[in-house]
Amino acid sequence: MPELPEVESLAAFLRERAVGRAVLGVDVVAIQALKTFDPPVTALGGLTITGVSRHGKFLDFDCDGLHLVIHLARAGWLRWRDDLSGAKPVRPGKGPLAVRVRLAPDELGLAPGFELTEAGTQKRLAVYVVKNPDEVPGVAALGPDPLADTFTIDALKAIVGGNRTQIKGLLRDQKVIAGIGNAYSDEVLHAARMSPFKIASSLTDAQIADLHEAIVTTLHEAVERARGLAAKDLKAEKKSGLRVHNRTGRPCDVCGDTIREVSFADSSLQYCPTCQTGGKPLADRRLSKLLK
Ligand SMILES: [Zn+2]
């Protein structure tokens, strides 16, 4: 799933290629992906893309004041195409293609564009056409952006104070902090040497400062690694930069202990016992519930 660093990089990649180009048309192949109907998606035709930005994990194309907002969800991706002029018309119901955005041809006659794809059977990719990005409920509800200057230690202190949820869940909650998902919450907690099950409100001032440092550093490093990469190379880069996430059974880069996995919410999390939980493996609640 693309998270803040990948979406940030996608936005930069698209800014270079798409800004200044007119939209020829938007083909919605997977009809359930389109979440709005007024203004219609056809209203984008003929408008010029004037900006590409990110809100949390949402991509936002400003098209002369009308916004095409995209959430790639768990299995969605964006594929840039240098020339769509020879592309076959899209037929609904076949394959992972959900949306195709065709841009006006350049002076060489190449008509670039991009395609949104979604793998798997759970279709969660979402596309909105709105006059203001805040009309998208998920955007309106976003918490502070961890790369913004206003995301200070005090801002994090205000977030965790009185919050009795486990820190892993809190970091992933888009309404609390925008842009961090399953992968980077594992990475942040490993960098902060903190148990994912720790209750947020129990953090000391020193631990909050450590967590803040881990959030900002982890995300900045990931953004730096992804900078300048083509959309198609981002997934591999994300994978190669991870220290604990999806590395169950491999040695921890910091201490050499074996990275472990435990179920959490609707998926699983990975952590290093020596770095994060005093050497003790976390109990798998789902498993222990089954055994009772
Ligand atoms: Zn370790």
Side-chain angles (χ1 to χ4, degrees):
M1 178 186 202
E3 298 178 31
L4 184 154
E6 294 78 47
V7 181
E8 179 81 18
S9 179
L10 271 179
F13 175 86
L14 292 159
R15 220 172 280 137
E16 264 179 40
R17 284 160 184 82
V19 167
R21 287 186 186 272
V23 177
L24 266 189
V26 179
D27 308 323
V28 179
V29 186
I31 200 76
Q32 78 280 357
L34 184 63
K35 305 299 180 193
T36 53
F37 59 90
D38 182 26
V41 73
T42 49
L44 293 164
L47 301 182
T48 299
I49 299 177
T50 52
V52 186
S53 57
R54 175 186 65 78
H55 314 284
K57 301 181 211 167
F58 290 83
L59 262 179
D60 175 7
F61 293 82
D62 186 340
C63 309
D64 286 328
L66 197 59
H67 293 257
L68 173 67
V69 178
I70 296 166
H71 189 253
L72 291 167
R74 190 168 284 185
W77 199 246
L78 184 148
R79 192 162 58 184
W80 177 260
R81 301 282 301 268
D82 286 326
D83 188 18
L84 281 169
S85 56
K88 290 186 201 124
V90 280
R91 258 183 288 162
K94 295 255 189 237
L97 182 60
V99 176
R100 177 183 280 166
V101 177
R102 292 174 285 113
L103 303 175
D106 59 18
E107 56 282 358
L108 299 170
L110 297 176
F114 56 89
E115 295 174 332
L116 306 178
T117 58
E118 187 171 34
T121 51
Q122 266 198 333
K123 299 302 182 190
R124 308 264 288 274
L125 186 138
V127 174
Y128 310 79
V129 181
V130 287
K131 290 181 182 133
N132 184 325
D134 273 344
E135 290 170 44
V136 176
V139 173
L142 286 174
D145 193 285
L147 295 188
D149 293 341
T150 48
F151 186 74
T152 58
I153 294 174
D154 281 341
L156 182 61
K157 198 171 167 180
I159 287 169
V160 299
N163 197 319
R164 299 201 44 80
T165 54
Q166 290 168 329
I167 194 72
K168 165 77 180 177
L170 181 133
L171 287 176
R172 271 178 52 171
D173 185 346
Q174 300 306 296
K175 296 185 199 74
V176 176
I177 301 172
I180 301 175
N182 200 21
Y184 288 103
S185 54
D186 281 352
E187 297 301 300
V188 162
L189 290 167
H190 180 251
R193 306 178 66 86
M194 197 173 281
S195 167
F197 288 169
K198 196 163 181 60
I199 300 299
S201 58
S202 75
L203 295 182
T204 63
D205 283 357
Q207 287 170 325
I208 292 170
D210 286 349
L211 182 62
H212 180 270
E213 165 80 15
I215 291 170
V216 173
T217 307
T218 301
L219 295 176
H220 268 298
E221 282 177 2
V223 167
E224 278 307 313
R225 282 196 308 269
R227 192 182 296 280
L229 287 183
K232 64 180 171 56
D233 298 325
L234 281 173
K235 266 192 220 176
E237 168 49 46
K238 176 179 179 182
K239 205 171 163 218
S240 71
L242 299 173
R243 295 195 172 106
V244 281
H245 185 71
N246 273 349
R247 287 176 50 87
T248 307
R250 312 262 294 273
C252 169
D253 287 346
V254 175
C255 72
D257 193 1
T258 303
I259 291 162
R260 286 178 178 260
E261 172 173 309
V262 67
S263 65
F264 184 84
D266 55 348
S267 56
S268 56
L269 65 82
Q270 286 84 36
Y271 67 102
C272 169
T274 295
C275 290
Q276 295 174 256
T277 57
K280 274 182 273 175
L282 293 166
D284 196 317
R285 286 155 198 224
R286 201 153 57 188
L287 190 62
S288 46
K289 236 182 250 170
L290 286 174
L291 294 172
K292 262 178 207 164

